[in-house]
Every structure is written in C-alpha cells, then in structure tokens.
Amino acid sequence: MTLGPIEVVTIAFESDRFQGDIIPELERLVEAGTISVADGVFVQRVTEEETAIVEFGQDDADGDLARVGALVGEAMGLISDEDVDALTAELPVGASAAILVFEHTWVKPLRDAIAAAGGELIDSIRVPGPVVQQVLDAVAALEEED
C-alpha cells in the first residue's frame, strides 16, 4: 500500500478537555475520502515539565476521544514522545492539544495520473492559510498606497 502525502496538525485548546465540536467535520472528510487519520494523540499540559498523553479511544469508551479513535483505526505509530514534546512545547499549563496525522487520500488518484502520464511530482509546499492572508493583506496595502 502506497500512502498519500502525510501532514501532522496540532490543534490547541485552552482547557484540558478535547473539544468534540470538530469531530463531525473530521468524520465528513474521512467519509468523503479526502483524508484518512493515520495516527493521533491527545495531550494535556499538566505542569511546565509534565504532559499527559492519551491515545484516542484509549480511556474514553463512549466519549469524544473514542469517536476520534474510531477514525484512526489502526494507529501507525507515527507520533513519538519526542514529537509530542516538540509540538506541545509552547502549550500553557492547563491547556490541551490534539495531534493528528492525516493522510491526504484525495491526492492518490492525481499522483497515479501524474505517474501514468510520465510525470513526477518533484515538490509540494503547504502554506498555512493565515500566512497567505497576511501576504494578501500586505499586497492590498501596497496597492492602496499607489
């Protein structure tokens, strides 16, 4: 099985509780074949030095974490403790984060078509939406000055 592109996203929450409001959209994206959830963990910042890591579905049998765990299926073990430390280093005490590993399954047919046409994808750059908006705002400001 050849995977599509993989992306790791970290979603912070001010409280120590996972906000399940995002689950319907995650379910929709998985059901549509846009993404698959290859791995994920929930992290709580207990103290400046300590984080608690919970695998989705591990101890939340009927709750929101279990619903995300059902999307993950067989976790691929792609998130290490070192990854968690790096991704949550700035998380304040009392806050939490969901770290999710997405496979962009929507790319697979395009990847296969490129290969069948004799092409090769040689680079892919992801620019976060807020960064794009900052650039567009700066361009608009420059155009207003002219």
Side-chain angles (χ1 to χ4, degrees):
M1 170 179 70
T2 304
L3 295 173
I6 297 291
E7 181 174 5
V8 178
V9 296
T10 305
I11 306 162
F13 300 100
E14 290 180 3
S15 72
D16 64 354
R17 189 170 180 314
F18 176 67
Q19 302 299 310
D21 299 346
I22 68 171
I23 296 173
E25 185 59 21
L26 282 174
E27 291 170 336
R28 187 190 70 74
L29 291 169
V30 169
E31 288 170 10
T34 304
I35 64 168
S36 64
V37 183
D39 209 346
V41 295
F42 178 71
V43 181
Q44 295 173 314
R45 173 66 68 186
V46 180
T47 67
E48 284 295 329
E49 298 80 30
E50 181 185 0
T51 55
I53 302 171
V54 178
E55 299 286 334
F56 283 109
Q58 184 177 353
D59 71 349
D60 187 31
D62 297 319
D64 291 333
L65 297 181
R67 285 179 65 194
V68 176
L71 294 174
V72 174
E74 281 189 49
M76 295 182 171
L78 298 173
I79 302 172
S80 69
D81 289 345
E82 292 80 17
D83 294 330
V84 170
D85 291 342
L87 294 169
T88 61
E90 301 299 317
L91 201 63
V93 173
S96 61
I99 301 173
L100 298 169
V101 180
F102 295 144
E103 175 192 11
H104 290 278
T105 49
W106 66 269
V107 174
K108 290 168 123 177
L110 176 60
R111 176 203 58 206
D112 295 345
I114 291 168
E120 177 183 3
L121 179 63
I122 59 172
D123 197 7
S124 176
I125 298 171
R126 180 164 289 253
V127 181
V131 173
V132 173
Q133 190 59 54
Q134 288 174 348
V135 170
L136 292 174
D137 292 345
V139 168
L142 287 173
E143 288 175 353
E144 287 178 12
E145 290 176 8
D146 293 337

